[in-house]
Amino acid sequence: MSKISRFFKGGGSAASKGRGGPSPQEALARLRETEEMLSKKQEYLETRIERELAVARQHGTKNRRAALQALKRKKRYEKQLSQIDGTLSTIEFQREALENSHTNTEVLKNMGYAAQAMKKVHENMDLNKIDDLMQDITEQQDVAQEISDAISNRATFGDEFDEDELMAELEELEQEELNKGMRDVRLPSVPSTSLPSRPASTRRRAEDEDEMKKLAAWAS
């Protein structure tokens, strides 16, 4: 019985049979083992094909019978190699599909766990209580803001006075200071001696100017 026959007929483990079928991990492991076995078979057939081709070339026209037998064996090996190539493609496709199915199953399972966890968390939550809590938080934030504003404002402590009254009092004080300054100012005394008279040349010049004005008036 070949390895492939043993795999398909009696390869399943007792634990897998007892559970009614292999798990995805076990099936993937078996598929990878099969791929490895067929890959080794490929390498063996490729070696035999190269060997038979060398035998056919060696005999050539010298021993046509031996050359033909070698070529026939090469053809059989090539046919087996082609069949293994097709089988490997099928197994590879099946393995990839199983891997994707297993991944999807695990994803859905984890999503189900997450949904159950969220449901369990939300079981103890009441939307009405949440609304009341948010309102309380908003009110406390408003109170905290009012307290901050009150603390940050400048304290007056009785500084509320009439600005016009204060300005009038300030102007009175300024006027008093101005009057006091005017009283303290001392004017210079008038000299007791008489001012010197104008020199004769100055008087003569003034008389000449008067005469010129009279002549100009007469001429006009």
Side-chain angles (χ1 to χ4, degrees), residues 41-210:
K41 182 70 174 182
Q42 277 183 322
E43 295 176 359
Y44 169 76
L45 291 174
E46 289 173 354
T47 302
R48 292 301 302 267
I49 290 171
E50 292 294 331
R51 185 183 303 173
E52 296 300 334
L53 183 60
V55 172
R57 288 174 179 173
Q58 179 181 2
H59 292 288
T61 56
K62 297 178 182 179
N63 189 347
R64 296 175 62 86
R65 181 178 179 181
L68 289 174
Q69 291 296 329
L71 291 176
K72 288 180 181 180
R73 288 191 297 270
K74 183 179 78 69
K75 289 294 183 181
R76 289 197 303 269
Y77 295 148
E78 288 176 346
K79 185 177 180 180
Q80 294 179 25
L81 183 62
S82 177
Q83 291 175 346
I84 291 176
D85 289 339
T87 304
L88 279 174
S89 298
T90 302
I91 291 176
E92 183 178 0
F93 174 79
Q94 188 178 15
R95 177 177 53 80
E96 291 176 354
L98 182 57
E99 288 175 346
N100 293 333
S101 298
H102 178 62
T103 301
N104 294 334
T105 302
E106 292 297 323
V107 170
L108 291 175
K109 184 187 299 182
N110 294 333
M111 292 176 65
Y113 289 156
Q116 292 176 4
M118 291 179 65
K119 184 178 180 180
K120 185 175 181 181
V121 170
H122 293 158
E123 284 179 354
N124 298 325
M125 290 187 180
D126 188 354
L127 293 178
N128 295 327
K129 293 182 179 179
I130 294 174
D131 292 337
D132 295 339
L133 176 62
M134 295 306 298
Q135 290 179 1
D136 293 340
I137 292 174
T138 303
E139 291 177 359
Q140 294 303 317
Q141 288 178 345
D142 294 338
V143 172
Q145 185 63 42
E146 292 177 0
I147 294 174
S148 299
D149 294 340
I151 293 174
S152 61
N153 289 335
R154 182 178 62 86
T156 57
F157 297 107
D159 289 346
E160 298 178 359
F161 299 103
D162 189 357
E163 294 291 337
D164 295 336
E165 183 179 352
L166 293 176
M167 291 299 297
E169 185 176 354
L170 179 60
E171 291 177 358
E172 290 178 2
L173 293 175
E174 292 177 349
Q175 187 63 37
E176 289 178 1
E177 291 294 330
L178 181 61
N179 294 337
K180 183 179 179 182
M182 292 296 293
R183 288 195 300 270
D184 293 340
V185 174
R186 294 182 179 180
L187 297 176
S189 59
V190 179
S192 58
T193 58
S194 60
L195 295 175
S197 60
R198 291 187 297 176
S201 59
T202 303
R203 291 197 301 272
R204 183 61 181 272
R205 188 182 298 108
E207 292 175 356
D208 291 341
E209 290 178 357
D210 292 338

